[in-house]
Short mmCIF file of all heavy atoms in Angstrom, two decimals:
data_model
loop_
_atom_site.label_atom_id
_atom_site.label_comp_id
_atom_site.label_asym_id
_atom_site.label_seq_id
_atom_site.Cartn_x
_atom_site.Cartn_y
_atom_site.Cartn_z
N GLY A 1 106.36 102.49 87.43
CA GLY A 1 105.43 103.60 87.53
C GLY A 1 104.10 103.23 88.13
O GLY A 1 103.29 104.12 88.43
N GLY A 2 103.85 101.95 88.31
CA GLY A 2 102.60 101.49 88.86
C GLY A 2 102.56 101.57 90.37
O GLY A 2 103.49 102.05 91.02
N SER A 3 101.45 101.07 90.93
CA SER A 3 101.21 101.13 92.36
C SER A 3 100.82 99.77 92.90
O SER A 3 100.29 98.92 92.17
CB SER A 3 100.11 102.14 92.69
OG SER A 3 100.47 103.46 92.30
N LEU A 4 101.06 99.59 94.18
CA LEU A 4 100.72 98.36 94.86
C LEU A 4 100.50 98.70 96.33
O LEU A 4 101.14 99.63 96.85
CB LEU A 4 101.84 97.35 94.70
CG LEU A 4 101.52 95.85 94.68
CD1 LEU A 4 100.56 95.52 93.54
CD2 LEU A 4 102.80 95.05 94.52
N ARG A 5 99.62 97.97 96.98
CA ARG A 5 99.39 98.18 98.41
C ARG A 5 99.57 96.88 99.17
O ARG A 5 98.93 95.87 98.86
CB ARG A 5 97.99 98.74 98.68
CG ARG A 5 97.82 99.21 100.13
CD ARG A 5 96.47 99.83 100.41
NE ARG A 5 95.42 98.83 100.54
CZ ARG A 5 94.30 99.00 101.23
NH1 ARG A 5 94.08 100.16 101.85
NH2 ARG A 5 93.40 98.04 101.28
N LEU A 6 100.43 96.92 100.17
CA LEU A 6 100.66 95.79 101.05
C LEU A 6 99.87 95.98 102.34
O LEU A 6 99.65 97.10 102.78
CB LEU A 6 102.14 95.63 101.37
CG LEU A 6 103.13 95.56 100.22
CD1 LEU A 6 104.54 95.33 100.75
CD2 LEU A 6 102.74 94.48 99.23
N SER A 7 99.48 94.88 102.94
CA SER A 7 98.82 94.93 104.23
C SER A 7 99.46 93.91 105.15
O SER A 7 99.98 92.88 104.71
CB SER A 7 97.32 94.67 104.11
OG SER A 7 97.06 93.36 103.65
N CYS A 8 99.40 94.20 106.44
CA CYS A 8 99.95 93.30 107.45
C CYS A 8 99.11 93.42 108.71
O CYS A 8 99.02 94.50 109.29
CB CYS A 8 101.41 93.64 107.75
SG CYS A 8 102.16 92.59 109.02
N GLY A 9 98.51 92.31 109.11
CA GLY A 9 97.68 92.28 110.30
C GLY A 9 98.36 91.51 111.41
O GLY A 9 98.92 90.43 111.18
N ALA A 10 98.28 92.05 112.62
CA ALA A 10 98.88 91.42 113.80
C ALA A 10 97.79 90.93 114.74
O ALA A 10 96.74 91.56 114.89
CB ALA A 10 99.79 92.40 114.53
N SER A 11 98.05 89.80 115.38
CA SER A 11 97.14 89.27 116.37
C SER A 11 97.94 88.59 117.47
O SER A 11 99.09 88.22 117.27
CB SER A 11 96.15 88.27 115.74
OG SER A 11 96.84 87.16 115.19
N GLY A 12 97.32 88.44 118.63
CA GLY A 12 97.98 87.81 119.75
C GLY A 12 98.17 88.75 120.92
O GLY A 12 97.32 89.59 121.20
N SER A 13 99.29 88.62 121.60
CA SER A 13 99.58 89.39 122.81
C SER A 13 100.19 90.73 122.44
O SER A 13 101.41 90.92 122.52
CB SER A 13 100.51 88.60 123.73
OG SER A 13 99.92 87.37 124.13
N ILE A 14 99.33 91.65 122.07
CA ILE A 14 99.76 92.96 121.60
C ILE A 14 99.60 93.98 122.72
O ILE A 14 98.53 94.12 123.30
CB ILE A 14 98.95 93.40 120.37
CG1 ILE A 14 99.16 92.40 119.23
CG2 ILE A 14 99.35 94.80 119.95
CD1 ILE A 14 98.26 92.64 118.05
N PHE A 15 100.68 94.69 123.02
CA PHE A 15 100.66 95.74 124.03
C PHE A 15 100.49 97.10 123.36
O PHE A 15 100.59 97.23 122.14
CB PHE A 15 101.94 95.70 124.86
CG PHE A 15 102.11 94.42 125.63
CD1 PHE A 15 102.96 93.43 125.16
CD2 PHE A 15 101.42 94.21 126.80
CE1 PHE A 15 103.11 92.25 125.85
CE2 PHE A 15 101.57 93.03 127.50
CZ PHE A 15 102.41 92.05 127.03
N SER A 16 100.23 98.11 124.18
CA SER A 16 99.86 99.42 123.66
C SER A 16 100.97 100.07 122.84
O SER A 16 100.70 100.70 121.82
CB SER A 16 99.46 100.35 124.80
OG SER A 16 98.32 99.86 125.48
N LEU A 17 102.21 99.94 123.29
CA LEU A 17 103.33 100.58 122.63
C LEU A 17 104.04 99.57 121.73
O LEU A 17 104.60 98.58 122.21
CB LEU A 17 104.31 101.17 123.65
CG LEU A 17 103.74 102.25 124.57
CD1 LEU A 17 104.80 102.71 125.56
CD2 LEU A 17 103.22 103.43 123.76
N ASN A 18 104.01 99.84 120.45
CA ASN A 18 104.63 98.91 119.51
C ASN A 18 104.96 99.64 118.22
O ASN A 18 104.54 100.77 117.99
CB ASN A 18 103.74 97.70 119.23
CG ASN A 18 102.38 98.09 118.68
OD1 ASN A 18 102.28 98.51 117.52
ND2 ASN A 18 101.34 97.96 119.50
N THR A 19 105.71 98.96 117.38
CA THR A 19 106.07 99.47 116.07
C THR A 19 105.81 98.39 115.04
O THR A 19 106.16 97.22 115.26
CB THR A 19 107.55 99.90 116.02
OG1 THR A 19 107.78 100.93 116.98
CG2 THR A 19 107.92 100.41 114.63
N MET A 20 105.22 98.77 113.94
CA MET A 20 105.01 97.86 112.82
C MET A 20 105.53 98.50 111.55
O MET A 20 105.57 99.73 111.43
CB MET A 20 103.53 97.52 112.65
CG MET A 20 102.90 96.79 113.83
SD MET A 20 101.18 96.31 113.52
CE MET A 20 101.39 95.07 112.23
N GLY A 21 105.92 97.68 110.61
CA GLY A 21 106.40 98.20 109.35
C GLY A 21 106.91 97.10 108.46
O GLY A 21 106.56 95.92 108.62
N TRP A 22 107.73 97.50 107.49
CA TRP A 22 108.29 96.56 106.53
C TRP A 22 109.78 96.78 106.33
O TRP A 22 110.25 97.92 106.30
CB TRP A 22 107.62 96.71 105.15
CG TRP A 22 106.33 96.01 104.99
CD1 TRP A 22 106.12 94.75 104.52
CD2 TRP A 22 105.04 96.55 105.28
NE1 TRP A 22 104.79 94.47 104.51
CE2 TRP A 22 104.09 95.55 104.97
CE3 TRP A 22 104.59 97.77 105.77
CZ2 TRP A 22 102.73 95.74 105.13
CZ3 TRP A 22 103.23 97.97 105.93
CH2 TRP A 22 102.32 96.96 105.62
N TYR A 23 110.49 95.69 106.23
CA TYR A 23 111.80 95.64 105.64
C TYR A 23 111.69 94.91 104.30
O TYR A 23 110.73 94.18 104.07
CB TYR A 23 112.80 94.91 106.54
CG TYR A 23 113.33 95.72 107.70
CD1 TYR A 23 112.54 95.98 108.81
CD2 TYR A 23 114.63 96.21 107.68
CE1 TYR A 23 113.03 96.72 109.87
CE2 TYR A 23 115.13 96.94 108.74
CZ TYR A 23 114.32 97.20 109.83
OH TYR A 23 114.82 97.93 110.88
N ARG A 24 112.68 95.11 103.46
CA ARG A 24 112.71 94.37 102.21
C ARG A 24 114.12 93.86 101.95
O ARG A 24 115.10 94.41 102.44
CB ARG A 24 112.24 95.23 101.03
CG ARG A 24 113.18 96.36 100.65
CD ARG A 24 112.58 97.23 99.55
NE ARG A 24 113.49 98.27 99.11
CZ ARG A 24 113.16 99.24 98.27
NH1 ARG A 24 111.93 99.30 97.76
NH2 ARG A 24 114.07 100.16 97.92
N GLN A 25 114.18 92.80 101.16
CA GLN A 25 115.47 92.22 100.83
C GLN A 25 115.44 91.72 99.39
O GLN A 25 114.59 90.92 99.03
CB GLN A 25 115.83 91.08 101.77
CG GLN A 25 117.25 90.57 101.60
CD GLN A 25 117.71 89.74 102.78
OE1 GLN A 25 116.91 89.12 103.47
NE2 GLN A 25 119.02 89.72 103.02
N ALA A 26 116.37 92.21 98.60
CA ALA A 26 116.55 91.77 97.24
C ALA A 26 117.74 90.82 97.17
O ALA A 26 118.64 90.88 98.02
CB ALA A 26 116.78 92.97 96.31
N PRO A 27 117.77 89.95 96.17
CA PRO A 27 118.89 89.01 96.05
C PRO A 27 120.24 89.73 96.02
O PRO A 27 120.42 90.69 95.27
CB PRO A 27 118.61 88.30 94.72
CG PRO A 27 117.13 88.38 94.56
CD PRO A 27 116.76 89.72 95.12
N GLY A 28 121.17 89.27 96.84
CA GLY A 28 122.49 89.84 96.89
C GLY A 28 122.61 91.15 97.64
O GLY A 28 123.70 91.73 97.67
N LYS A 29 121.53 91.61 98.24
CA LYS A 29 121.55 92.86 98.98
C LYS A 29 121.15 92.64 100.43
O LYS A 29 120.49 91.66 100.76
CB LYS A 29 120.62 93.90 98.34
CG LYS A 29 121.02 94.31 96.92
CD LYS A 29 120.10 95.38 96.39
CE LYS A 29 120.52 95.84 95.01
NZ LYS A 29 119.62 96.91 94.49
N GLU A 30 121.55 93.57 101.27
CA GLU A 30 121.18 93.51 102.67
C GLU A 30 119.73 93.92 102.86
O GLU A 30 119.16 94.68 102.07
CB GLU A 30 122.09 94.41 103.51
CG GLU A 30 123.54 93.99 103.56
CD GLU A 30 124.36 94.87 104.47
OE1 GLU A 30 123.84 95.91 104.93
OE2 GLU A 30 125.52 94.52 104.74
N ARG A 31 119.15 93.41 103.92
CA ARG A 31 117.81 93.82 104.28
C ARG A 31 117.81 95.29 104.66
O ARG A 31 118.69 95.76 105.39
CB ARG A 31 117.30 92.96 105.44
CG ARG A 31 115.86 93.22 105.83
CD ARG A 31 115.43 92.30 106.97
NE ARG A 31 115.51 90.90 106.58
CZ ARG A 31 115.20 89.90 107.40
NH1 ARG A 31 114.80 90.14 108.64
NH2 ARG A 31 115.31 88.65 106.97
N GLU A 32 116.83 96.04 104.17
CA GLU A 32 116.77 97.46 104.44
C GLU A 32 115.38 97.87 104.91
O GLU A 32 114.37 97.27 104.51
CB GLU A 32 117.15 98.28 103.20
CG GLU A 32 116.20 98.13 102.03
CD GLU A 32 116.52 99.06 100.88
OE1 GLU A 32 117.23 100.07 101.09
OE2 GLU A 32 116.06 98.79 99.75
N LEU A 33 115.35 98.89 105.73
CA LEU A 33 114.08 99.42 106.21
C LEU A 33 113.33 100.09 105.06
O LEU A 33 113.89 100.89 104.32
CB LEU A 33 114.31 100.43 107.33
CG LEU A 33 113.06 101.18 107.81
CD1 LEU A 33 112.14 100.23 108.57
CD2 LEU A 33 113.43 102.37 108.68
N VAL A 34 112.06 99.77 104.95
CA VAL A 34 111.18 100.42 103.99
C VAL A 34 110.38 101.51 104.68
O VAL A 34 110.41 102.67 104.27
CB VAL A 34 110.24 99.42 103.30
CG1 VAL A 34 109.32 100.14 102.32
CG2 VAL A 34 111.05 98.34 102.59
N ALA A 35 109.64 101.13 105.71
CA ALA A 35 108.81 102.08 106.43
C ALA A 35 108.47 101.51 107.79
O ALA A 35 108.41 100.29 107.97
CB ALA A 35 107.53 102.40 105.65
N SER A 36 108.22 102.39 108.75
CA SER A 36 107.80 101.99 110.08
C SER A 36 106.72 102.91 110.58
O SER A 36 106.63 104.08 110.17
CB SER A 36 108.99 101.97 111.05
OG SER A 36 109.50 103.28 111.25
N HIS A 37 105.90 102.39 111.48
CA HIS A 37 104.79 103.14 112.05
C HIS A 37 104.65 102.74 113.50
O HIS A 37 104.40 101.58 113.81
CB HIS A 37 103.50 102.85 111.28
CG HIS A 37 102.37 103.78 111.60
ND1 HIS A 37 101.75 103.79 112.83
CD2 HIS A 37 101.75 104.73 110.85
CE1 HIS A 37 100.80 104.70 112.83
NE2 HIS A 37 100.77 105.29 111.65
N THR A 38 104.82 103.71 114.40
CA THR A 38 104.67 103.43 115.82
C THR A 38 103.22 103.58 116.23
O THR A 38 102.41 104.21 115.54
CB THR A 38 105.53 104.37 116.68
OG1 THR A 38 104.95 105.68 116.67
CG2 THR A 38 106.95 104.44 116.17
N SER A 39 102.88 103.01 117.38
CA SER A 39 101.51 103.09 117.88
C SER A 39 101.14 104.49 118.31
O SER A 39 99.95 104.77 118.49
CB SER A 39 101.32 102.11 119.04
OG SER A 39 102.27 102.33 120.06
N THR A 40 102.12 105.37 118.47
CA THR A 40 101.85 106.76 118.79
C THR A 40 101.73 107.63 117.54
O THR A 40 101.50 108.83 117.65
CB THR A 40 102.93 107.35 119.70
OG1 THR A 40 104.21 107.19 119.10
CG2 THR A 40 102.92 106.63 121.05
N GLY A 41 101.90 107.03 116.37
CA GLY A 41 101.66 107.74 115.13
C GLY A 41 102.88 108.22 114.39
O GLY A 41 102.74 108.84 113.31
N SER A 42 104.07 107.97 114.90
CA SER A 42 105.28 108.39 114.21
C SER A 42 105.59 107.45 113.06
O SER A 42 105.40 106.24 113.17
CB SER A 42 106.46 108.44 115.18
OG SER A 42 106.24 109.38 116.21
#
């Protein structure tokens, strides 16, 4: 029931069009998409 906030900062050769987000993986399970955010706002 609690809350947590993750952050992720990118640096280097970054172009205008990109996607950032998170996948997660629990023991014994496949990696799954959590959330994604494109540079155009989707």
Side-chain angles (χ1 to χ4, degrees):
S3 298
L4 211 59
R5 191 177 77 154
L6 307 183
S7 65
C8 179
S11 62
S13 300
I14 300 172
F15 298 101
S16 297
L17 299 179
N18 58 72
T19 300
M20 297 184 68
W22 278 268
Y23 282 74
R24 69 185 183 187
Q25 189 164 27
K29 296 183 178 180
E30 294 184 351
R31 184 179 299 179
E32 65 173 341
L33 174 70
V34 179
S36 65
H37 192 292
T38 72
S39 55
T40 56
S42 298

